[in-house]
Amino acid sequence: MPGFSLRLWRAASIVFHTCRNKNKKTYCKVAARRGPVVAARQETNKTLLGQSARMDVTLQAAPLTVFLVEDSLAIRARLAETIRGIDGTELVGEAGSVGKAIEGIRSTHPGAVILDLQLEDGSGLDVLKAVHPAAYALHVAVLTNYATDQHRRACLNAGAEFFLDKSSEFPRIREIVQRWTDRPDGAAVGA
C-alpha cells in the first residue's frame, strides 16, 4: 500500500495487524498483548468528500508493565517508589506470598517482575518456575539476602535475567528496569 510503513520492535508480542481499503478510506487494526511493542505510522494523501486530506496516525509505545513480589512491606514500598519514578513503566501489581504472586502475574501479564527469593510462604524460585514457562519473554530480576552461588545458578537456570544481593546491589534495580524500558526486546543476562 503506497505511503504506508509499519515498524515492529517486538514481533512476538503482536497479536494481529490488518489494513484494508474500503470506499477510499483506510481502516487499520493493531492489537498488542503487552509491553512497548508497536509503533505504526501511516501517511497517505486522499481525497475525502472532494477535499484533500492527509492522514497521519501514530500508535505510541505502551509502558513496560512491572509486577513486584516482596514480602517486606518497607522494601516493597521502596521498590514501588523506584519503579513509579522510571519513565515508561507502570506498576501493575504487588504481592508478598507465592500464591498471590503467581495469581497476580498470571492475571496482569506484566513485561517484567522484580522478585524476592525468600517469601512469607515459600520461595520466589517457586514463583519463577510457575510463571516463566508460560511467559518466556518475561523479564525477571531476583533480589535476595541469600546471594549464594547455588541460589544464583538455580534462579538464572529458571529464567531470571538478574540475581542481585539486596544488601549491596539494590540500587541496580533502577538501572535494570530502565534498560528493559529502553530495550524491550531484552537485556543481557546479568549477575
Side-chain angles (χ1 to χ4, degrees):
M1 174 184 296
F4 182 78
S5 65
L6 176 68
R7 294 168 54 197
L8 304 177
W9 281 287
R10 195 172 182 187
S13 294
I14 302 303
V15 177
F16 65 89
H17 172 261
T18 59
C19 282
R20 67 182 191 275
N21 193 328
K22 184 176 182 181
N23 299 331
K24 295 192 179 188
K25 294 181 184 177
T26 301
Y27 298 88
C28 292
K29 295 180 183 178
V30 176
R33 281 200 322 234
R34 62 181 164 76
V37 294
V38 178
R41 182 176 179 100
Q42 178 178 2
E43 295 180 18
T44 62
N45 290 319
K46 304 183 182 190
T47 304
L48 299 174
L49 301 175
Q51 297 177 351
S52 179
R54 181 183 173 110
M55 177 190 257
D56 187 358
V57 178
T58 303
L59 297 176
Q60 298 297 321
L64 174 70
T65 53
V66 180
F67 195 94
L68 186 54
V69 183
E70 171 62 57
D71 61 341
S72 166
L73 294 177
I75 294 174
R76 192 185 320 167
R78 186 173 166 202
L79 285 167
E81 182 181 337
T82 299
I83 300 302
R84 288 186 184 110
I86 300 171
D87 288 339
T89 62
E90 178 185 354
L91 186 61
V92 294
E94 301 177 21
S97 67
V98 172
K100 289 182 181 178
I102 293 169
E103 180 183 325
I105 292 167
R106 286 181 176 164
S107 67
T108 60
H109 306 288
V113 174
I114 308 300
L115 180 63
D116 183 15
L117 188 58
Q118 186 61 42
L119 299 172
E120 296 170 355
D121 60 345
S123 171
L125 189 55
D126 296 332
V127 174
L128 185 56
K129 287 178 180 178
V131 299
H132 195 266
Y136 189 74
L138 182 67
H139 295 290
V140 180
V142 175
L143 273 172
T144 186
N145 286 320
Y146 305 96
T148 66
D149 286 338
Q150 179 183 2
H151 286 115
R152 178 184 307 275
R153 277 191 307 274
C155 290
L156 293 176
N157 288 339
E161 289 182 53
F162 293 91
F163 183 89
L164 307 172
D165 186 336
K166 278 185 193 176
S167 63
S168 62
E169 297 179 290
F170 193 90
R172 287 192 61 204
I173 286 295
R174 175 179 288 281
E175 167 198 335
I176 290 165
V177 173
Q178 185 64 55
R179 185 182 313 172
W180 289 337
T181 303
D182 293 341
R183 298 184 57 205
D185 56 335
V189 173

